[in-house]
Amino acid sequence: MKITPKELFVAFFRIGVQGFGGVLPWARRVLVEERHWFGEEDFLDAWSLSQVLPGGNIINLSISFGARCAGPAGAAAAFFGLTLAPLLIICALGAIYVRFGELPQVGRVFGGVSAAGAGLMVATSLRMAASPRMRTPLAVFALAAFTLTVLVRWPLLLVLAVLVPFSFFLVWWRAR
């Protein structure tokens, strides 16, 4: 299926508008469930790669997916589609906060929005954790990465340095 830069821009613009402050749930919904541009496993692969590259995860995903679909023009279209709406929204919110930030109602609104964003991230994480990949022996690496980064508070680079060689070995050993 050929995806044009215009289609990429529109899809990622919609993701940026709907997912402001928590884009992953909307990106997964649009790319996997609605447009069927990714299968569940392909999305997880692309998301995993996006997490280890420097920069914002969803930005990395948009650029790599856009480039895969339509080359440099697709990468640019997906990137600008994803970032244009949030840029405009954050400028507007910043102006509102500068003008009215001392009002307690404004603080409560911002608190509610951040709680909703956190809830969306938890729901999406649970949905992704229910994928078939998480029912394999390789799921132990996801659990180990979570434990080491969140609970033990190791730096991500150290976690990767420890877990990646073991995961490569396990995949190689299983393929023999």
Side-chain angles (χ1 to χ4, degrees):
M1 169 203 290
K2 178 80 170 133
I3 302 170
T4 67
K6 180 181 176 185
E7 290 174 304
L8 288 164
F9 179 86
V10 169
F12 278 94
F13 184 83
R14 182 174 162 226
I15 291 167
V17 169
Q18 291 178 325
F20 180 76
V23 177
L24 177 61
W26 299 110
R28 189 193 161 284
R29 175 176 290 161
V30 169
L31 299 175
V32 176
E33 297 174 12
E34 292 178 9
R35 296 195 181 240
H36 305 287
W37 287 349
F38 270 118
E40 183 70 38
E41 293 298 311
D42 292 333
F43 182 82
L44 289 173
D45 287 342
W47 182 249
S48 297
L49 175 63
S50 297
Q51 289 182 313
V52 298
L53 295 172
N57 300 339
I58 195 67
I59 299 288
N60 293 339
L61 179 74
S62 72
I63 292 170
S64 66
F65 182 71
R68 185 171 73 178
C69 294
F79 170 77
F80 286 115
L82 182 68
T83 57
L84 180 61
L87 172 67
L88 297 175
I89 292 169
I90 200 70
C91 288
L93 288 175
I96 290 168
Y97 190 76
V98 165
R99 176 77 170 95
F100 302 106
E102 69 279 350
L103 297 174
Q105 297 89 339
V106 172
R108 287 194 292 271
V109 167
F110 279 93
V113 168
S114 63
L120 285 171
M121 289 301 294
V122 169
T124 300
S125 298
L126 292 173
R127 181 176 289 148
M128 290 171 69
S131 77
R133 177 177 295 164
M134 294 305 290
R135 292 184 217 116
T136 71
L138 295 175
V140 72
F141 291 103
L143 182 60
F146 173 81
T147 302
L148 292 173
T149 56
V150 175
L151 303 178
V152 181
R153 298 197 176 270
W154 280 14
L156 180 60
L157 288 177
L158 179 59
V159 172
L160 292 174
V162 170
L163 294 180
V164 166
F166 288 115
S167 66
F168 283 163
F169 173 77
L170 182 61
V171 168
W172 170 80
W173 184 74
R174 289 182 68 198
R176 290 184 331 150

